[in-house]
Amino acid sequence: MRMITRRQTLALAAGLATAPCWPAVAQAKTEVSLSRQPGILYMPTHVIEKQKLIEKHAEKLGVPNVTAKWMSFSNGGAQQDALLSGGVDIINTGTGPLLVLWDKTRGKVKGIVASSAQPLQLISRDPRIKSLKDLQAGDKIAVPTVRVSTQAILLQMAASQLYGPDKWNHFDPMTVQLGHPDAFVAMKNAGHEVKNHFAAPPFQTYELQQIPEAHVVATSADIIGSPLSQGQFMTMTTFAEANPKIIQALRNAAEEAKTFIEKNPAEAVEIYREVTGDKTSTAELLEVLKQPGMMEWNIYPQGTMKFAAHLNRTGAIKTLPASWKDYYLPVAHDLPGN
């Protein structure tokens, strides 16, 4: 999962300062555009798309002839730009982007429901490093984006816990920016300086399977103390107010997709492979889903307030929400979020 970069955050803030206000009212729509990302974390979106679950549930709610148009994005930042510009109605990305967009737009972007909360794992092939305390100056930790990716922020949170709140950036100098596929290659190369990778599925599983020395040093759940939502749907509040039944249909679709994946994992994997073009075999992907925490598809937000507290403490967001319900729409408020 990728978060928006600090440069994008500053650009967003500058745009908000100079751009005209968004319209207070949006038009009800029958063609709804949504973002699609590759990766097994986003499998619920692929099931919703393939089985036309938004269309199905919208019709049940009295809104016939709805068309869901799915648009491919390779990263979270591009999705966020599209949402703010009106190029897409609903996006699915991480906790950090939701909190930053909610803060920078003063509540004009909010979550609808979550869709995944699989664990991230810090993998090391260095036998000396058995815990986070064993990391020292000179060690290299691959993360998707230094300082602002989910993995980098988790390291900041861990540093605060280990060394005190004023030492939140203790691990920052050790991080190097590598996409997960490149980090995987580096980890397999015994001579490469990168011996640690804060990975996302399925790369953490592949590293543990294919690299003899690879072992888990820490997980997102260790640091957060609970699962952390990796994917969630979000939209502009103007769209939600104009299309309440579409928003409800999406919630219902997410619930159905969760149940379908849990009951039919092999069929869900085939849908994922078809929609994304992933060439990994069904058998290999099913093995990935058998790993601890990999079937975490609950639709309520998890771990997000702890993330918000850290982002506020370090200045990434100015407003500290009182509750997760501040940045989620009422359609989710009956859920047991945190």
Side-chain angles (χ1 to χ4, degrees), residues 118-262:
Q118 282 73 17
L120 307 177
Q121 294 182 334
L122 174 58
I123 306 297
S124 179
R125 59 179 172 86
D126 187 337
R128 174 180 59 83
I129 299 172
K130 295 180 172 60
S131 73
L132 289 169
K133 288 184 177 180
D134 296 324
L135 291 161
Q136 58 191 25
D139 288 325
K140 305 293 184 184
I141 310 167
V143 296
T145 310
V146 296
R147 291 183 61 84
V148 296
S149 63
T150 297
Q151 287 86 344
I153 291 173
L154 285 167
L155 286 171
Q156 293 170 3
M157 296 175 74
S160 294
Q161 295 165 12
L162 290 171
Y163 306 112
D166 60 331
K167 301 293 186 181
W168 60 270
N169 59 355
H170 174 82
F171 294 117
D172 282 1
M174 305 179 202
T175 59
V176 295
Q177 186 163 312
L178 282 177
H180 292 303
D182 292 334
F184 178 38
V185 171
M187 289 284 285
K188 292 176 71 175
N189 181 354
H192 201 284
E193 64 175 354
V194 170
K195 298 180 181 180
N196 311 281
H197 175 206
F198 211 145
F203 297 98
Q204 55 204 32
T205 301
Y206 297 161
E207 288 170 7
L208 291 170
Q209 289 174 341
Q210 299 180 31
I211 303 171
E213 306 86 356
H215 57 278
V216 178
V217 174
T219 72
S220 54
D222 294 336
I223 297 167
I224 291 285
S226 69
L228 172 65
S229 291
Q230 303 293 348
Q232 50 243 295
F233 294 99
M234 61 197 76
T235 190
M236 303 292 295
T237 55
T238 48
F239 175 84
E241 289 161 2
N243 300 275
K245 290 188 177 181
I246 297 295
I247 296 299
Q248 183 66 54
L250 176 56
R251 173 183 164 155
N252 296 349
E255 289 180 312
E256 183 170 342
K258 171 186 180 294
T259 300
F260 178 82
I261 294 170
E262 290 171 343

Side-chain angles (χ1 to χ4, degrees), residues 65 73 79 82 94 108 113 126-127 132 175 178 201 203 212 220 233 242 260 262 283 290 302 304 314 319 327:
N65 303 317
F73 290 86
Q79 290 184 94
K108 292 184 173 66
V113 289
D126 187 337
L132 289 169
T175 59
L178 282 177
F203 297 98
S220 54
F233 294 99
F260 178 82
E262 290 171 343
K290 290 178 182 177
Q302 300 182 71
T304 63
T314 60
T319 304
Y327 46 87

